Amino acid sequence: MHCYSLSHLKQLEAEAIFVMREVAAQFEKPVLLFSGGKDSIVMVRLAQKAFWPGKFPFPLMHIDTGHNFEETITFRDKLVEQTGARLIIRMVQDSIDRGRAVEEKGPNPSRNGLQTITLLDAIEEFKFDAAFGGARRDEEKARAKERFFSHRDEFGQWDPKNQRPELWNLFNGRKHPGEHFRVFPLSNWTEMDVWQYIAQEGLEIPSIYFTHRRRIVNRSGTLLAESPYITLLGSEAYEEREVRFRTVGDMTCTGAVNSSAASLEEIIAEVASARQTERGTRADDKRSEAAMEDRKKQGYF
């Protein structure tokens, strides 16, 4: 039995469930964006609770870069089988093959930004009018500007200066044809809240969140895992270390952290003493001061 104070987590849980039920009431075709990461795993549990004893009334959708950690894909498929959810997969590679997206050049070309095109095409394909995302306001300064209901125009773009007020938990889901909303039930959660909730609920998570031995290369301070998607530079070499990952994403830009945390309790203790945010390990966020906000304006998660 875990000894965490649950009142705070229960309040966050109730808020997220309320948001999910509001979406089910206001929108015709919602979808839950699922990456296999800890935040989307928590959202699946919240959706189960929100609509129990029925199945949650929307599919899961994974925008697959093709550069994922194998452990994440294995976990995704296992969770879908366990929950009986409908899973939609759309591949960035297909967008590249159709000429809708252009592969980046360089020693570790990231497909993270290319997901935007695949995502917007999928939203149009299925006519989704609301897409649940696992973003939290504590992650990054651009995400701190999001509302629970975040309006996107007919081009899928976000205007941070033109958002609707959400006083007294009143959510305005009105939209014009072709527009949609991104909905963030975990907006007020922190990384610590997520980990404590995972421990409280006894949720399974991909093994890469726990410490393990992996060959990595230190590229400008980011510990990138060995993969066929990155090319070593002249002075670089892989070395084996005890690491884990705080966030899950494209292997070409998701950095590991040196860690000995082999259990949820040890992860929670490590997060409590961390001096770097989890997004601080993402190389794509370091490309410019406004990297995330620029991507979000174009329709990113």
Side-chain angles (χ1 to χ4, degrees):
M1 180 67 182
H2 299 287
C3 299
Y4 311 120
S5 173
L6 303 185
S7 59
H8 176 61
L9 294 181
K10 287 295 184 186
Q11 183 178 3
L12 290 172
E13 179 187 70
E15 179 181 66
I17 286 173
F18 175 76
V19 171
M20 286 187 162
R21 289 173 175 167
E22 277 291 301
V23 169
Q26 292 193 42
F27 296 93
E28 294 182 5
K29 292 196 71 176
V31 64
L32 192 155
L33 303 178
F34 185 79
S35 67
K38 62 184 184 306
D39 301 304
S40 55
I41 293 167
V42 166
M43 284 206 300
V44 168
R45 171 52 60 91
L46 291 167
Q48 288 176 312
K49 289 191 172 188
F51 304 105
W52 181 263
K55 288 186 177 181
F56 41 87
F58 38 77
L60 311 182
M61 183 164 70
H62 183 203
I63 304 301
D64 190 340
T65 66
H67 291 175
N68 294 287
F69 291 90
E70 182 179 338
E71 297 93 331
T72 307
I73 299 301
T74 299
F75 180 87
R76 178 199 70 188
D77 295 342
K78 179 181 177 182
L79 182 140
V80 167
E81 182 178 355
Q82 290 174 340
T83 59
R86 175 190 171 203
L87 175 66
I88 298 168
I89 302 172
R90 286 297 178 267
M91 305 291 297
V92 169
Q93 185 63 54
D94 292 337
S95 298
I96 295 171
D97 292 343
R98 292 197 302 268
R100 293 279 295 143
V102 178
E103 189 87 80
E104 284 188 0
K105 307 297 182 183
N108 57 316
S110 172
R111 289 184 171 183
N112 230 28
L114 303 187
Q115 292 178 91
T116 299
I117 296 167
T118 310
L119 172 62
L120 293 178
D121 285 350
I123 288 173
E124 174 62 25
E125 175 187 354
F126 292 98
K127 306 301 180 187
F128 291 128
D129 53 2
F132 289 105
R136 310 185 319 270
R137 290 178 181 141
D138 77 315
E139 287 182 277
E140 201 273 342
K141 58 187 179 183
R143 285 180 164 168
K145 299 178 182 180
E146 293 278 19
R147 300 285 198 266
F148 280 100
F149 277 31
S150 186
H151 176 262
R152 297 301 197 267
D153 66 18
E154 65 271 27
F155 302 106
Q157 296 178 331
W158 172 65
D159 181 0
K161 296 180 181 179
N162 187 27
Q163 295 206 69
R164 300 170 182 182
E166 293 179 341
L167 305 175
W168 304 290
N169 281 345
L170 296 176
F171 302 120
N172 181 356
R174 286 178 293 181
K175 59 180 180 55
H176 296 294
E179 299 176 344
H180 72 278
F181 278 78
R182 305 289 171 82
V183 181
F184 303 107
L186 306 184
S187 288
N188 288 335
W189 296 51
T190 65
E191 183 184 11
M192 177 64 80
D193 296 328
V194 169
W195 283 119
Q196 290 186 343
Y197 190 78
I198 287 170
Q200 173 191 304
E201 297 293 306
L203 301 181
E204 289 187 57
I205 54 176
S207 60
I208 61 172
Y209 281 119
F210 300 106
T211 188
H212 58 284
R213 293 195 69 80
R214 187 181 289 264
R215 281 163 56 82
I216 63 95
V217 60
N218 187 335
R219 177 163 293 170
S220 302
T222 301
L223 306 183
L224 296 176
E226 181 179 21
S227 78
Y229 316 120
I230 67 175
T231 303
L232 291 181
L233 303 176
S235 60
E236 293 179 334
Y238 286 114
E239 59 178 310
E240 201 166 88
R241 290 197 195 181
E242 293 278 342
V243 299
R244 72 176 193 87
F245 293 86
R246 291 176 67 184
T247 180
V248 167
D250 191 316
M251 291 185 75
T252 63
C253 61
T254 303
V257 293
N258 295 307
S259 174
S260 59
S263 67
L264 284 174
E265 289 76 10
E266 290 175 340
I267 288 176
I268 288 169
E270 186 177 276
V271 169
S273 62
R275 291 296 175 265
Q276 182 185 48
T277 67
E278 59 192 301
R279 296 292 307 190
T281 63
R282 297 291 288 267
D284 53 328
D285 287 352
K286 299 176 182 178
R287 294 185 174 190
S288 75
E289 281 293 316
M292 173 65 81
E293 183 159 334
D294 290 342
R295 292 201 305 274
K296 287 181 70 64
K297 286 179 179 178
Q298 296 165 6
Y300 187 70
F301 301 93

